Amino acid sequence: MVVNEKVKLAITVASLVAATILLAAEYRRRRRRKQTSSPSSCYLHSDIKPQFGFKRVLADNSFSGFKHLKKKKLEDGGGEKPSDSHPYESEITALLESPRLDEFEFLRGEYSLEMSGSYVWVETESELKKLAETLAKEKVFAVDTEQHSLRSFLGFTALIQISTQEEDFLVDTIALHDVMSILRPVFSNPDICKVFHGADNDVIWLQRDFHIYVVNMFDTAKACEVLAKPQRSLAYLLESVCGVSTNKLLQREDWRQRPLSEEMVRYARTDAHYLLYIADSMTAELKQRGIEDSSSTDDKFSFLLEASRRSNMICLQLYTKETEDFPGNAAASSLIYRHLNGHEDNSSISLDPKFQELVRELCAWRDLMARIHDESTRYVLSDQAVIALASNQPVTPEQIHDSIAQADLSSDSSPSAVICSHLDDVFQLTQHKLGKLDVILPLVLDKCLGTEGTCPISVFNYSLLINFNTKLTTNRSTPKRHKSLKRFTRKTSRDLFVKKFSCKAPVYHNCRIYANDGRLLCYCDRRKLEWYMSRGLAKLVEEDPLAIMLLFEPKGRPEDEGNDFYIQSKKNICVGCGEGDHYLRYRIIPSCYRVHFPEHLKSHRSHDIVLLCVDCHEVAHAAAERYKKEVAKEFGIPLFVRRVLDSVECESAGGGDSEDAGVSPLHLRTAAMALLRHGNRMPSSRREELLQTVKMYYGGRDISEEDLEKALLIGMSPHERRKLERKKGVTVSVKQENSNNGSSVEEHSEEAPPGGDMNGESSVVGDDSGGDGAPELNDTQCNGNILHQQNSKLSLLGHGPHGKQVVEYLLKEYGEDGVRDFCQRWRKVFVDALHPRHLPGGWDVTHSGRRDFGEFSVYNPTKKVSTG
Ligand code: AMP
Ligand code: ZN
Ligand code: MN
């Protein structure tokens, strides 16, 4: 037995150990699998690119526009030009208008064409300062630049070659990137001529990287143009003018490398060294041609002047960042176009909407990844790789990898490091797991640069990030957004908007109210039920979902009145498109009219307040605002109150006969506000203008500070006024004028039950007065001038006065039918604008909506107090 027990124990221990080992192995295996399927780290954590050492970058990878140098003009009181104009425009225009002929002397005294064995490598700040001092003494120097563009989104200047008659300088613009402004003065000095060959790109590259602007230039390529030379390349000039050959292939070298190879140094020096000699010889030629061609002595310089003019025109160019409607859009369109043209036989693939969609998605993703990692888009994913992925539609990460490698057969670094460390993204993108195009980008940005992001944040992508409103944002005022960003950020701001304004809980609780004979009267929300219950007017008949039965006899039944609408349960979705994730209440009949309806016509709210998603809301609202303008025209009743006049002044002015007495309440308010805030700082002419506006309200008399304060309140509803008081922390004392027009426009009495009509779910109904941002008001006419009669609810600043007059007119001319027709018109406007596909059954443009439940109705004003 003992032995047996030992064996048993041994077996138990052995199996436990085995199990542990197996578990550990499985654990390791799982971990490994997890690591390979989602690389936790971006290649940039180990691949340090030289530009990441730059501390300040003028053109970053965000979508915001490029800000040009702002030159403080000392002579005219420090007035600054806008950042999108050329800071040296006037200097350049001056050169264009009056060129100085004595300047075209590029060489002086002894000159040896040969390139000496030595040159100056400039890589420290002090060396750069010394160079600037040297150049400041010259009348002319030659310039060329070398760029790097493959491993950078916008490209950067890797080297500047500068040659004087005596020396060749190679400026290491990577090492000196942040202090290159040291050279700004010599480049913008109109007394020093800069000789380039084909400067179009150099000029804007210098602006982009260093805010260096060239003023006074001689471009030997422009001279070629004017002289109609058979070729205009620098290689041709070097050969034909200097007898020097150069290997232009070196132009494509990686100019970031340090130290530069001997061959590259030689190439770089060659591009600048001979320019002064070439310019000198071409100037002579231009003068000669002028003399040959001219009939008078006046225009013997015309060729030279033309070359100079064309050169300086180049200087006027401004660097701008490329923009497009949506990231990668232009590239995608041209790819699709080129592919379609090259593959007539294969058009079944290319015309496939899935192919085109994938091309667009890949291009958008590629664009954003290039910006995030500061790589060129072609480095991230080549055009042929995009086409390959969109055509093959690979289904595994391995297939994606192979598709790209195959497409880039000639390249030995394919797929790129970006693809390798973010293969999962491409995989999800190709499998459509990331969603539609507009969600992909914020998602990708958050994945890469968000708080849990995989990729490093740099000077190049920081602004991209803060412009996106993602988690890292330090809620400071974001820079003005670029047009191309609009659609891009629209998604983000839409999300914020939805979060802020959409209904927090389902709007329709779909609780039921039954009549005492058991017939369904309507659906409504919980609060309405509780209102009837707490007053002993109903009994609970069902718990889940809630249902009550009224204990009194309701006046009518929905089916008797053709109001089937009220006995439909309602879905918590946008009635326009069916969106169910978020919705907002939308009032089909604008509040500025509806508040003035007779009480019993108002009560069918639930029919005319519907749920809409943000996008449908926008469409419907825009249509309603347009229609309001039509109503204003049709009825001849303006949307805004045109004139107010202080009543006291109105009387003393003899009833305000004059048509132009008074001012618009909005004008009055803004004028008073501006005067109070900036009165002593504004130009006197502007101040006088604003004072006139306010004086007009006070009948032309002189006004005090107190009058200004009072003017601020004109047209405000008490609600708005209370808000202002709360903000200022004081009670604004202003003489309240009594309303002599007693009609009650009170929307909700304290006694009113929650919610609108019987089906009006309380949360649907809410506070009508805030409906369209146009609080309601009362007003009376005073000989054509509307006097502000401040009723408890009214404001003159919105559409309230318009709404009131329209409704009064309708009632006077057509009675209640007029109001009903008016409602139908608004429903039609709504339907025409949106073509809603999800309106609840029974919803009807011609809805008459007389709905109340008789003497105990929540809308029977006389019963309100007694029931409560
Ligand atoms: P260059 O002044 O002719 O040496 O050209 C200046 C810079 O322009 C080079 O450093 C390249 O970055 C860029 N570049 C000009 N032409 C080409 C080209 N055909 N291919 C690639 N890069 C070019
Ligand atoms: Zn990354
Ligand atoms: Mn060059």
Side-chain angles (χ1 to χ4, degrees), residues 338-380:
R338 273 185 288 153
H339 191 68
L340 286 177
N341 275 359
H343 289 251
E344 285 104 32
D345 51 324
N346 216 357
S347 54
S348 58
I349 299 174
S350 344
L351 285 173
D352 175 8
K354 243 175 147 184
F355 166 85
Q356 299 206 6
E357 199 188 327
L358 206 50
V359 169
R360 293 204 181 276
E361 286 172 1
L362 285 165
C363 285
W365 178 85
R366 169 176 86 166
D367 181 275
L368 189 61
M369 288 308 256
R371 289 171 191 270
I372 289 171
H373 297 88
D374 196 38
E375 303 284 5
S376 62
T377 51
R378 84 191 136 101
Y379 174 76
V380 176

Short mmCIF file of all heavy atoms in Angstrom, two decimals, residues 338-380:
data_model
loop_
_atom_site.label_atom_id
_atom_site.label_comp_id
_atom_site.label_asym_id
_atom_site.label_seq_id
_atom_site.Cartn_x
_atom_site.Cartn_y
_atom_site.Cartn_z
N ARG A 338 -5.45 56.16 -64.33
CA ARG A 338 -4.35 55.56 -65.08
C ARG A 338 -4.56 54.06 -65.26
O ARG A 338 -4.31 53.49 -66.31
CB ARG A 338 -3.02 55.80 -64.35
CG ARG A 338 -2.38 57.13 -64.74
CD ARG A 338 -1.02 57.27 -64.11
NE ARG A 338 -1.13 57.50 -62.67
CZ ARG A 338 -0.19 57.15 -61.79
NH1 ARG A 338 0.90 56.54 -62.19
NH2 ARG A 338 -0.36 57.42 -60.52
N HIS A 339 -5.08 53.46 -64.19
CA HIS A 339 -5.30 52.01 -64.26
C HIS A 339 -6.38 51.68 -65.28
O HIS A 339 -6.24 50.74 -66.06
CB HIS A 339 -5.69 51.49 -62.89
CG HIS A 339 -5.67 50.00 -62.81
ND1 HIS A 339 -4.49 49.27 -62.89
CD2 HIS A 339 -6.66 49.09 -62.68
CE1 HIS A 339 -4.77 47.98 -62.80
NE2 HIS A 339 -6.09 47.85 -62.68
N LEU A 340 -7.45 52.46 -65.29
CA LEU A 340 -8.54 52.22 -66.23
C LEU A 340 -8.05 52.38 -67.67
O LEU A 340 -8.41 51.59 -68.54
CB LEU A 340 -9.70 53.18 -65.97
CG LEU A 340 -10.56 52.88 -64.74
CD1 LEU A 340 -11.62 53.94 -64.56
CD2 LEU A 340 -11.20 51.50 -64.86
N ASN A 341 -7.21 53.39 -67.89
CA ASN A 341 -6.71 53.63 -69.25
C ASN A 341 -5.76 52.56 -69.73
O ASN A 341 -5.72 52.25 -70.92
CB ASN A 341 -6.02 55.00 -69.32
CG ASN A 341 -7.04 56.09 -69.57
OD1 ASN A 341 -8.21 55.79 -69.70
ND2 ASN A 341 -6.58 57.32 -69.62
N GLY A 342 -5.02 52.00 -68.80
CA GLY A 342 -4.03 51.02 -69.20
C GLY A 342 -4.58 49.60 -69.28
O GLY A 342 -3.90 48.69 -69.67
N HIS A 343 -5.83 49.43 -68.87
CA HIS A 343 -6.37 48.07 -68.77
C HIS A 343 -7.76 47.94 -69.38
O HIS A 343 -8.69 47.55 -68.70
CB HIS A 343 -6.47 47.64 -67.29
CG HIS A 343 -5.15 47.40 -66.67
ND1 HIS A 343 -4.71 46.15 -66.34
CD2 HIS A 343 -4.17 48.26 -66.30
CE1 HIS A 343 -3.50 46.24 -65.80
NE2 HIS A 343 -3.15 47.51 -65.76
N GLU A 344 -7.88 48.29 -70.64
CA GLU A 344 -9.22 48.20 -71.24
C GLU A 344 -9.75 46.77 -71.17
O GLU A 344 -10.92 46.54 -70.92
CB GLU A 344 -9.22 48.67 -72.70
CG GLU A 344 -9.14 50.18 -72.85
CD GLU A 344 -7.76 50.65 -73.26
OE1 GLU A 344 -7.08 49.89 -73.98
OE2 GLU A 344 -7.35 51.75 -72.85
N ASP A 345 -8.82 45.83 -71.41
CA ASP A 345 -9.24 44.43 -71.40
C ASP A 345 -9.61 43.96 -69.99
O ASP A 345 -10.42 43.09 -69.80
CB ASP A 345 -8.09 43.56 -71.92
CG ASP A 345 -6.79 43.87 -71.20
OD1 ASP A 345 -6.56 45.04 -70.87
OD2 ASP A 345 -6.01 42.92 -70.95
N ASN A 346 -9.02 44.63 -69.02
CA ASN A 346 -9.14 44.17 -67.64
C ASN A 346 -10.19 44.98 -66.88
O ASN A 346 -10.22 44.98 -65.66
CB ASN A 346 -7.77 44.36 -66.96
CG ASN A 346 -7.50 43.25 -65.98
OD1 ASN A 346 -8.35 42.39 -65.77
ND2 ASN A 346 -6.34 43.29 -65.37
N SER A 347 -11.05 45.68 -67.65
CA SER A 347 -11.89 46.69 -67.00
C SER A 347 -12.88 46.10 -66.00
O SER A 347 -13.41 46.82 -65.17
CB SER A 347 -12.63 47.50 -68.06
OG SER A 347 -13.33 46.62 -68.90
N SER A 348 -13.11 44.80 -66.10
CA SER A 348 -14.04 44.22 -65.12
C SER A 348 -13.51 44.38 -63.71
O SER A 348 -14.26 44.63 -62.77
CB SER A 348 -14.28 42.75 -65.44
OG SER A 348 -13.05 42.06 -65.41
N ILE A 349 -12.19 44.26 -63.57
CA ILE A 349 -11.59 44.43 -62.24
C ILE A 349 -11.61 45.90 -61.84
O ILE A 349 -12.06 46.27 -60.77
CB ILE A 349 -10.13 43.93 -62.21
CG1 ILE A 349 -10.08 42.44 -62.56
CG2 ILE A 349 -9.49 44.19 -60.86
CD1 ILE A 349 -8.68 41.87 -62.68
N SER A 350 -11.13 46.75 -62.77
CA SER A 350 -10.94 48.15 -62.43
C SER A 350 -12.26 48.87 -62.20
O SER A 350 -12.32 49.83 -61.47
CB SER A 350 -10.16 48.85 -63.53
OG SER A 350 -9.54 47.91 -64.36
N LEU A 351 -13.32 48.40 -62.90
CA LEU A 351 -14.61 49.07 -62.74
C LEU A 351 -15.33 48.59 -61.48
O LEU A 351 -16.30 49.19 -61.05
CB LEU A 351 -15.50 48.85 -63.97
CG LEU A 351 -15.11 49.67 -65.19
CD1 LEU A 351 -15.92 49.26 -66.40
CD2 LEU A 351 -15.29 51.16 -64.91
N ASP A 352 -14.82 47.51 -60.93
CA ASP A 352 -15.39 46.97 -59.71
C ASP A 352 -15.39 48.05 -58.62
O ASP A 352 -14.34 48.58 -58.28
CB ASP A 352 -14.50 45.77 -59.29
CG ASP A 352 -14.93 45.18 -57.97
OD1 ASP A 352 -15.98 45.59 -57.46
OD2 ASP A 352 -14.19 44.31 -57.48
N PRO A 353 -16.57 48.40 -58.09
CA PRO A 353 -16.60 49.46 -57.07
C PRO A 353 -15.73 49.12 -55.86
O PRO A 353 -15.18 50.01 -55.21
CB PRO A 353 -18.07 49.55 -56.68
CG PRO A 353 -18.74 48.34 -57.25
CD PRO A 353 -17.91 47.88 -58.40
N LYS A 354 -15.58 47.84 -55.59
CA LYS A 354 -14.76 47.43 -54.46
C LYS A 354 -13.30 47.79 -54.70
O LYS A 354 -12.58 48.20 -53.80
CB LYS A 354 -14.87 45.92 -54.27
CG LYS A 354 -15.48 45.52 -52.92
CD LYS A 354 -15.65 44.04 -52.89
CE LYS A 354 -15.46 43.42 -51.54
NZ LYS A 354 -15.56 41.95 -51.65
N PHE A 355 -12.87 47.65 -55.96
CA PHE A 355 -11.50 47.99 -56.33
C PHE A 355 -11.26 49.47 -56.09
O PHE A 355 -10.31 49.88 -55.43
CB PHE A 355 -11.27 47.63 -57.81
CG PHE A 355 -10.03 48.23 -58.40
CD1 PHE A 355 -8.80 47.59 -58.26
CD2 PHE A 355 -10.08 49.44 -59.09
CE1 PHE A 355 -7.65 48.15 -58.81
CE2 PHE A 355 -8.94 50.01 -59.63
CZ PHE A 355 -7.72 49.36 -59.49
N GLN A 356 -12.18 50.28 -56.62
CA GLN A 356 -12.02 51.74 -56.49
C GLN A 356 -12.09 52.17 -55.02
O GLN A 356 -11.33 53.03 -54.58
CB GLN A 356 -13.10 52.46 -57.29
CG GLN A 356 -13.02 52.13 -58.77
CD GLN A 356 -13.58 53.22 -59.63
OE1 GLN A 356 -13.94 54.30 -59.15
NE2 GLN A 356 -13.65 52.98 -60.93
N GLU A 357 -12.98 51.56 -54.28
CA GLU A 357 -13.13 51.91 -52.87
C GLU A 357 -11.84 51.60 -52.12
O GLU A 357 -11.37 52.39 -51.31
CB GLU A 357 -14.30 51.11 -52.30
CG GLU A 357 -14.87 51.68 -51.02
CD GLU A 357 -15.88 50.73 -50.40
OE1 GLU A 357 -16.57 50.03 -51.15
OE2 GLU A 357 -15.95 50.70 -49.16
N LEU A 358 -11.28 50.44 -52.43
CA LEU A 358 -10.06 50.03 -51.76
C LEU A 358 -8.89 50.94 -52.14
O LEU A 358 -8.06 51.29 -51.30
CB LEU A 358 -9.75 48.57 -52.09
CG LEU A 358 -8.93 47.81 -51.04
CD1 LEU A 358 -9.51 47.98 -49.65
CD2 LEU A 358 -8.85 46.34 -51.40
N VAL A 359 -8.83 51.34 -53.40
CA VAL A 359 -7.78 52.27 -53.82
C VAL A 359 -7.90 53.56 -53.00
O VAL A 359 -6.91 54.08 -52.47
CB VAL A 359 -7.86 52.58 -55.33
CG1 VAL A 359 -6.95 53.74 -55.69
CG2 VAL A 359 -7.49 51.35 -56.15
N ARG A 360 -9.13 54.06 -52.86
CA ARG A 360 -9.33 55.31 -52.11
C ARG A 360 -8.95 55.14 -50.64
O ARG A 360 -8.30 55.99 -50.05
CB ARG A 360 -10.77 55.79 -52.22
CG ARG A 360 -11.11 56.20 -53.63
CD ARG A 360 -12.26 57.18 -53.74
NE ARG A 360 -12.47 57.46 -55.16
CZ ARG A 360 -11.80 58.36 -55.86
NH1 ARG A 360 -10.91 59.13 -55.25
NH2 ARG A 360 -12.01 58.53 -57.14
N GLU A 361 -9.34 54.01 -50.08
CA GLU A 361 -9.03 53.78 -48.66
C GLU A 361 -7.53 53.64 -48.45
O GLU A 361 -6.97 54.21 -47.51
CB GLU A 361 -9.76 52.53 -48.17
CG GLU A 361 -11.25 52.78 -47.97
CD GLU A 361 -12.02 51.51 -47.67
OE1 GLU A 361 -11.40 50.42 -47.59
OE2 GLU A 361 -13.24 51.62 -47.52
N LEU A 362 -6.88 52.89 -49.34
CA LEU A 362 -5.45 52.69 -49.19
C LEU A 362 -4.70 54.01 -49.37
O LEU A 362 -3.73 54.28 -48.65
CB LEU A 362 -4.95 51.65 -50.21
CG LEU A 362 -5.31 50.19 -49.87
CD1 LEU A 362 -5.11 49.30 -51.09
CD2 LEU A 362 -4.46 49.69 -48.70
N CYS A 363 -5.15 54.83 -50.31
CA CYS A 363 -4.48 56.12 -50.54
C CYS A 363 -4.67 57.05 -49.34
O CYS A 363 -3.75 57.78 -48.97
CB CYS A 363 -4.99 56.78 -51.82
SG CYS A 363 -4.31 55.99 -53.29
N ALA A 364 -5.86 57.02 -48.75
CA ALA A 364 -6.11 57.86 -47.58
C ALA A 364 -5.25 57.38 -46.40
O ALA A 364 -4.62 58.18 -45.71
CB ALA A 364 -7.59 57.82 -47.21
N TRP A 365 -5.22 56.09 -46.21
CA TRP A 365 -4.42 55.51 -45.13
C TRP A 365 -2.94 55.82 -45.35
O TRP A 365 -2.24 56.24 -44.44
CB TRP A 365 -4.65 53.99 -45.08
CG TRP A 365 -3.85 53.30 -44.03
CD1 TRP A 365 -4.18 53.16 -42.72
CD2 TRP A 365 -2.58 52.65 -44.20
NE1 TRP A 365 -3.20 52.47 -42.06
CE2 TRP A 365 -2.20 52.14 -42.94
CE3 TRP A 365 -1.73 52.45 -45.29
CZ2 TRP A 365 -1.00 51.45 -42.76
CZ3 TRP A 365 -0.55 51.77 -45.09
CH2 TRP A 365 -0.19 51.28 -43.84
N ARG A 366 -2.49 55.65 -46.59
CA ARG A 366 -1.10 55.89 -46.93
C ARG A 366 -0.73 57.35 -46.67
O ARG A 366 0.32 57.64 -46.12
CB ARG A 366 -0.91 55.54 -48.41
CG ARG A 366 0.40 55.98 -49.01
CD ARG A 366 0.53 55.50 -50.43
NE ARG A 366 -0.09 56.42 -51.38
CZ ARG A 366 0.12 56.36 -52.70
NH1 ARG A 366 0.90 55.43 -53.21
NH2 ARG A 366 -0.46 57.22 -53.51
N ASP A 367 -1.63 58.25 -47.03
CA ASP A 367 -1.38 59.68 -46.82
C ASP A 367 -1.22 59.98 -45.34
O ASP A 367 -0.28 60.65 -44.93
CB ASP A 367 -2.53 60.50 -47.42
CG ASP A 367 -2.32 61.99 -47.26
OD1 ASP A 367 -2.68 62.51 -46.18
OD2 ASP A 367 -1.79 62.63 -48.17
N LEU A 368 -2.13 59.46 -44.54
CA LEU A 368 -2.07 59.75 -43.11
C LEU A 368 -0.86 59.09 -42.46
O LEU A 368 -0.18 59.69 -41.63
CB LEU A 368 -3.36 59.29 -42.43
CG LEU A 368 -3.49 59.75 -40.98
CD1 LEU A 368 -3.50 61.26 -40.88
CD2 LEU A 368 -4.74 59.17 -40.34
N MET A 369 -0.54 57.86 -42.85
CA MET A 369 0.63 57.18 -42.30
C MET A 369 1.91 57.92 -42.67
O MET A 369 2.84 58.03 -41.88
CB MET A 369 0.70 55.74 -42.81
CG MET A 369 -0.35 54.84 -42.19
SD MET A 369 -0.37 54.89 -40.39
CE MET A 369 0.43 53.37 -39.99
N ALA A 370 1.95 58.45 -43.89
CA ALA A 370 3.13 59.21 -44.33
C ALA A 370 3.28 60.46 -43.46
O ALA A 370 4.39 60.82 -43.06
CB ALA A 370 2.99 59.58 -45.80
N ARG A 371 2.16 61.11 -43.17
CA ARG A 371 2.21 62.30 -42.33
C ARG A 371 2.65 61.96 -40.90
O ARG A 371 3.46 62.65 -40.30
CB ARG A 371 0.84 62.97 -42.27
CG ARG A 371 0.43 63.64 -43.58
CD ARG A 371 -1.02 64.10 -43.52
NE ARG A 371 -1.51 64.50 -44.83
CZ ARG A 371 -1.43 65.74 -45.31
NH1 ARG A 371 -0.90 66.70 -44.58
NH2 ARG A 371 -1.88 66.03 -46.51
N ILE A 372 2.10 60.87 -40.38
CA ILE A 372 2.41 60.47 -39.01
C ILE A 372 3.89 60.12 -38.86
O ILE A 372 4.54 60.50 -37.90
CB ILE A 372 1.53 59.27 -38.59
CG1 ILE A 372 0.07 59.72 -38.41
CG2 ILE A 372 2.06 58.61 -37.32
CD1 ILE A 372 -0.90 58.59 -38.21
N HIS A 373 4.44 59.39 -39.83
CA HIS A 373 5.81 58.90 -39.72
C HIS A 373 6.83 59.78 -40.41
O HIS A 373 8.02 59.48 -40.42
CB HIS A 373 5.90 57.48 -40.29
CG HIS A 373 5.07 56.48 -39.53
ND1 HIS A 373 3.76 56.25 -39.82
CD2 HIS A 373 5.37 55.70 -38.47
CE1 HIS A 373 3.27 55.34 -38.98
NE2 HIS A 373 4.23 54.99 -38.15
N ASP A 374 6.35 60.88 -41.00
CA ASP A 374 7.18 61.74 -41.82
C ASP A 374 7.95 60.93 -42.87
O ASP A 374 9.19 60.89 -42.90
CB ASP A 374 8.15 62.60 -41.00
CG ASP A 374 8.70 63.75 -41.85
OD1 ASP A 374 7.92 64.30 -42.64
OD2 ASP A 374 9.90 64.07 -41.73
N GLU A 375 7.17 60.31 -43.72
CA GLU A 375 7.72 59.57 -44.86
C GLU A 375 6.99 60.07 -46.11
O GLU A 375 5.88 60.59 -46.01
CB GLU A 375 7.45 58.06 -44.72
CG GLU A 375 7.97 57.42 -43.45
CD GLU A 375 9.47 57.17 -43.45
OE1 GLU A 375 10.14 57.61 -44.42
OE2 GLU A 375 9.97 56.56 -42.49
N SER A 376 7.60 59.87 -47.28
CA SER A 376 6.87 60.18 -48.50
C SER A 376 5.82 59.10 -48.70
O SER A 376 5.97 57.97 -48.22
CB SER A 376 7.82 60.20 -49.70
OG SER A 376 8.40 58.93 -49.88
N THR A 377 4.74 59.46 -49.38
CA THR A 377 3.70 58.44 -49.60
C THR A 377 4.26 57.28 -50.43
O THR A 377 3.91 56.14 -50.20
CB THR A 377 2.47 59.04 -50.31
OG1 THR A 377 2.90 59.75 -51.46
CG2 THR A 377 1.70 59.97 -49.40
N ARG A 378 5.15 57.61 -51.35
CA ARG A 378 5.68 56.52 -52.19
C ARG A 378 6.55 55.57 -51.37
O ARG A 378 6.69 54.41 -51.69
CB ARG A 378 6.40 57.07 -53.42
CG ARG A 378 7.84 57.48 -53.25
CD ARG A 378 8.36 58.25 -54.45
NE ARG A 378 9.12 59.40 -53.99
CZ ARG A 378 10.46 59.43 -53.96
NH1 ARG A 378 11.15 58.39 -54.38
NH2 ARG A 378 11.09 60.49 -53.52
N TYR A 379 7.16 56.10 -50.28
CA TYR A 379 7.92 55.19 -49.42
C TYR A 379 6.98 54.27 -48.65
O TYR A 379 7.21 53.07 -48.55
CB TYR A 379 8.79 55.97 -48.42
CG TYR A 379 9.47 55.06 -47.42
CD1 TYR A 379 10.57 54.29 -47.79
CD2 TYR A 379 8.97 54.92 -46.12
CE1 TYR A 379 11.17 53.42 -46.89
CE2 TYR A 379 9.56 54.04 -45.22
CZ TYR A 379 10.66 53.30 -45.60
OH TYR A 379 11.24 52.42 -44.72
N VAL A 380 5.89 54.83 -48.12
CA VAL A 380 4.93 54.03 -47.34
C VAL A 380 4.40 52.88 -48.19
O VAL A 380 4.49 51.71 -47.79
CB VAL A 380 3.76 54.90 -46.83
CG1 VAL A 380 2.73 54.04 -46.11
CG2 VAL A 380 4.28 55.99 -45.90
#
